[in-house]
Amino acid sequence: MQPQFSQINISVTWRGKKFVVEMNIGANVKDLGQELQKLTNIKEDTMRFIVPQISARTSKLLAPFSKEHALLSLQETSITEVLSFTHSVS
């Protein structure tokens, strides 16, 4: 019998398009970034996530491929239901 993993659906809006990405509950920010790259072809160095912080009524900016953010879990960063990300042009 294979172990069952909890999955979460993350809603992502990019350039007016909405995507739903299914991720393992234990995934990290880099894992999510890699899945979104498959859908959008955004380069690692330009991808940023804007994550609403409901309790503080602010947003947090995360770089999914940075040393600082890559290994943070989705739960640690409050990525649960809604996620928007921006593509900054160099």
Side-chain angles (χ1 to χ4, degrees), residues 45-85:
D45 60 336
T46 61
M47 186 181 289
R48 304 287 181 270
F49 297 163
I50 301 171
V51 183
Q53 303 295 293
I54 297 169
S55 62
R57 294 185 180 190
T58 62
S59 296
K60 186 179 214 176
L61 185 65
L62 300 174
F65 299 99
S66 71
K67 289 180 184 178
E68 181 182 0
H69 301 138
L71 299 179
L72 294 173
S73 73
L74 298 180
Q75 291 177 332
E76 285 178 290
T77 58
S78 302
I79 297 174
T80 54
E81 295 296 322
V82 179
L83 171 70
S84 298
F85 69 97

Side-chain angles (χ1 to χ4, degrees), residues 5-83:
F5 296 101
S6 297
Q7 299 288 314
I8 57 172
N9 289 325
I10 300 172
S11 177
V12 179
T13 302
W14 178 65
R15 292 189 175 179
K17 294 180 183 175
K18 194 169 198 169
F19 302 93
V20 177
V21 181
E22 188 174 331
M23 298 294 298
N24 182 310
I25 195 79
N28 60 37
V29 175
K30 183 177 180 180
D31 296 332
L32 178 59
Q34 290 171 332
E35 287 301 311
L36 291 172
Q37 274 189 310
K38 293 175 188 175
L39 297 171
T40 63
N41 295 315
I42 294 176
K43 295 178 184 176
E44 287 184 13
D45 60 336
T46 61
M47 186 181 289
R48 304 287 181 270
F49 297 163
I50 301 171
V51 183
Q53 303 295 293
I54 297 169
S55 62
R57 294 185 180 190
T58 62
S59 296
K60 186 179 214 176
L61 185 65
L62 300 174
F65 299 99
S66 71
K67 289 180 184 178
E68 181 182 0
H69 301 138
L71 299 179
L72 294 173
S73 73
L74 298 180
Q75 291 177 332
E76 285 178 290
T77 58
S78 302
I79 297 174
T80 54
E81 295 296 322
V82 179
L83 171 70

